[in-house]
Amino acid sequence: MHPEWGTITAAELIGPIQGKLVSGPQDIPFAGLSTDSRKAGPGALFWALKGERFDGHDFVQKAVQSGVSGVVICKTYLPRLQAEVEPDRTQNSPTVIAVKDTLKALGDLGRWWRRQYDVSVVAVTGSAGKTTTKEMCACILEQGIPVLKSQGNFNNLIGVPLTLVRLTPGIAQVVLELGMNHPGEIARLTRITDPDLGVITNVGKVHLEGLGSVEQVARAKGELLEESSPGTHIIVNGDDRLLMHVARRLRRDLITFGLGPQNHVSAGEIRGNTLDGVSFVLHYREGSWPVNLRVPGRHNVQNALAAAAAGFVAGADPEQVVKGLEEFQGIKGRFTIERLSRGITMIDDTYNSNPEALRVSLETAKSLVPERGRLLVALGDMLELGDAAEMEHKVAGRLVADVGAAALVVLGNHAQDTIQGAIEAGFSGKHITAVETHEQMVKVLTHAAREGDIVLFKASQLMGLGKAVALCKASMERERAADAL
Ligand code: ADP
């Protein structure tokens, strides 16, 4: 019997999560699982997790009031539960399951749930390009079979198990993204997901705060290789020397993808890199197929190769691979192109930022600027860089100068580092503005932008630069309407 929400009961769950049934019925089915008390409706199982800002245990009472059928809590919370949650003298007391650690128990549930299904799992990790590769891969596999994929970047110790427990009969393929901030996280996620196919897109300077150095990032990504079972097919970026160094040490059979012809899956004749996309010829074994991606940039060719490699290994035929790749339309906030009526183009790359992604983003944006146009760059801080933050923001400034941007607008605590880097690399201070708010940023950009220009926005997500993109669009369109009067 496959587990399914609507039929699964506490009696079936407590074994896999090593839980103890504290009170309430054990044979009432749970309608679904929720870790958010605001979304936990009648009949659901509320799972209390302790996060950085909130502790789900503080909301158990609220969840009970909204009619959940059960709660999973940490056993140390039991005395508080008994004191806080009013005993229900009617028949409707929720089932209370206590575990040692609710986060670990959630992972155990995901792991168990996944193993109850005869599905193939693709797990994508890497420093950059995970979500894009995951989405491209899902586009390919969906051509042939029903696929479950992680929503957005549900890629951590919470998001991955929550994705796995959405598995239902009828799904044949799962495509997941595995992310990490700390050593050991990919190892645990690999044990939870037990992938048939693991993809590592690349390694770079991401999450240095938790990991220290890029070598350690590589090692952490290598946990996928170490922890996956010997039968797991491993797909790695053959152009990434550091990654290949780590991968080779583990003596596993590798399938490589990359721009270089030595890779098992490679690309040739990369052409027409415009705002409408990029074309290339996909090579695998004896076959070659033209592909027209609807997203621009060489990095997206890399992501497409990773997804194609996963598709081929998972049994997709070349037509399916090409069709899937060509259907992929990009993801909001990841280099999303918005054409405005004044002939100005905005690139919204505000979903996240790190040194490698910023470099790629700047270079790609520059390569797309039409002959008469200029590149205007709006940057917010890159977070989670630890001790490397000051230096990396200086490098960011230098990159802006190196790509020949016409103007730089910066926001955030590291704005001065970025500015210093840009000026040291020869960028004129006249074309740099440090701003304090999104509104100021928008004002500067609206004033500066003219026909043919590309305005690139990039920052870590917490900088909320997506808001500036929306404001800027509205402001520039207003200007245009005023011009037309
Ligand atoms: P992730 O999920 O790993 O954060 P995404 O697919 O969401 O990656 O892409 C985020 C940004 O990272 C993109 O907008 C682009 O700037 C950069 N990026 C994407 N793919 C690559 C790649 N293969 N190599 C380097 N940078 C990339």
Side-chain angles (χ1 to χ4, degrees), residues 377-438:
V377 180
L379 293 185
D381 283 355
M382 299 178 281
L383 305 176
E384 294 186 66
L385 288 174
D387 293 342
E390 188 182 318
M391 201 251 301
E392 291 299 346
H393 282 85
K394 285 185 187 157
V395 173
R398 197 176 314 144
L399 284 173
V400 174
D402 289 351
V403 296
L408 169 64
V409 187
V410 261
L411 171 82
N413 292 334
H414 286 287
Q416 290 310 324
D417 297 323
T418 310
I419 291 174
Q420 192 183 331
I423 288 180
E424 280 172 9
F427 200 89
S428 162
K430 271 197 313 204
H431 302 301
I432 302 178
T433 320
V435 293
E436 303 276 325
T437 62
H438 294 134

Side-chain angles (χ1 to χ4, degrees), residues 332 336 338 346-350 438 441-442 457-458 464-475:
K332 186 151 175 46
T336 314
E338 294 240 27
M346 296 197 324
I347 299 178
D348 176 358
D349 204 6
T350 59
H438 294 134
M441 179 176 259
V442 170
F457 294 83
K458 191 156 182 76
L465 221 61
K467 190 177 151 210
V469 177
L471 289 174
C472 202
K473 185 175 170 194
S475 159

Side-chain angles (χ1 to χ4, degrees), residues 36-63:
D36 182 341
S37 63
R38 291 162 301 182
K39 294 185 190 146
L45 176 63
F46 174 64
W47 207 284
L49 293 172
K50 192 165 166 22
E52 269 170 33
R53 280 181 296 162
F54 297 106
D55 184 350
H57 293 94
D58 296 337
F59 301 95
V60 168
Q61 191 173 7
K62 202 169 153 275

Side-chain angles (χ1 to χ4, degrees), residues 170-182:
I171 288 177
Q173 179 76 56
V174 182
V175 186
L176 297 168
E177 179 181 327
L178 311 187
M180 59 140 196
N181 294 312
H182 300 285

Side-chain angles (χ1 to χ4, degrees), residues 125-134 153 155 177 201-202 206 237 257 298-303 331 333-336 348-354 356-362 364 458:
T125 191
S127 294
K130 293 182 289 297
T131 308
T132 308
T133 303
K134 180 255 299 175
N153 70 337
N155 66 12
E177 179 181 327
T201 59
N202 49 43
V206 188
N237 184 339
F257 69 89
R298 288 173 81 86
H299 64 289
N300 275 322
V301 175
Q302 288 265 10
N303 296 335
I331 313 157
R334 273 100 158 172
F335 215 85
T336 314
D348 176 358
D349 204 6
T350 59
Y351 181 76
N352 227 336
S353 190
N354 59 62
E356 181 60 12
L358 177 63
R359 185 185 61 74
V360 167
S361 194
L362 282 167
T364 309
K458 191 156 182 76

Side-chain angles (χ1 to χ4, degrees), residues 146-400:
V147 173
L148 168 70
K149 63 177 181 182
S150 33
Q151 296 297 315
N153 70 337
F154 256 44
N155 66 12
N156 62 14
L157 291 169
I158 300 173
V160 169
L162 286 180
T163 305
L164 289 172
V165 300
R166 287 172 43 224
L167 257 174
T168 51
I171 288 177
Q173 179 76 56
V174 182
V175 186
L176 297 168
E177 179 181 327
L178 311 187
M180 59 140 196
N181 294 312
H182 300 285
E185 227 168 320
I186 294 289
R188 167 80 174 140
L189 288 171
T190 305
R191 287 194 294 272
I192 291 172
T193 53
D194 187 17
D196 299 275
L197 238 142
V199 183
I200 309 182
T201 59
N202 49 43
V203 293
K205 294 171 183 170
V206 188
H207 301 301
L208 291 181
E209 197 165 79
L211 291 158
S213 70
V214 77
E215 286 73 21
Q216 276 159 309
V217 177
R219 216 164 297 140
K221 301 292 176 196
E223 289 171 8
L224 176 72
L225 302 153
E226 283 167 26
E227 290 298 326
S228 53
S229 62
T232 307
H233 298 282
I234 300 287
I235 297 172
V236 287
N237 184 339
D239 297 343
D240 189 319
R241 283 176 50 204
L242 190 56
L243 173 58
M244 287 308 288
H245 178 70
V246 172
R248 283 211 184 93
R249 271 207 313 242
L250 291 159
R251 299 180 189 285
R252 296 278 297 261
D253 283 340
L254 302 170
I255 298 138
T256 64
F257 69 89
L259 302 181
Q262 75 282 7
N263 293 297
H264 295 109
V265 179
S266 66
E269 297 174 48
I270 301 177
R271 279 178 286 115
N273 184 27
T274 68
L275 289 165
D276 296 320
V278 59
S279 304
F280 65 98
V281 176
L282 169 68
H283 300 294
Y284 176 57
R285 295 196 168 141
E286 272 76 55
S288 298
W289 306 270
V291 178
N292 300 306
L293 289 183
R294 291 199 220 180
V295 285
R298 288 173 81 86
H299 64 289
N300 275 322
V301 175
Q302 288 265 10
N303 296 335
L305 294 176
F312 285 129
V313 175
D317 58 41
E319 289 71 34
Q320 214 178 312
V321 171
V322 173
K323 192 154 178 274
L325 292 177
E326 294 190 341
E327 277 179 11
F328 175 72
Q329 297 204 35
I331 313 157
K332 186 151 175 46
R334 273 100 158 172
F335 215 85
T336 314
I337 292 166
E338 294 240 27
R339 287 191 169 94
L340 307 187
S341 39
R342 258 202 312 161
I344 296 169
T345 304
M346 296 197 324
I347 299 178
D348 176 358
D349 204 6
T350 59
Y351 181 76
N352 227 336
S353 190
N354 59 62
E356 181 60 12
L358 177 63
R359 185 185 61 74
V360 167
S361 194
L362 282 167
E363 285 171 2
T364 309
K366 180 62 185 178
S367 73
L368 300 172
V369 176
E371 216 170 286
R372 283 169 298 108
R374 306 166 306 160
L375 175 63
L376 314 183
V377 180
L379 293 185
D381 283 355
M382 299 178 281
L383 305 176
E384 294 186 66
L385 288 174
D387 293 342
E390 188 182 318
M391 201 251 301
E392 291 299 346
H393 282 85
K394 285 185 187 157
V395 173
R398 197 176 314 144
L399 284 173
V400 174

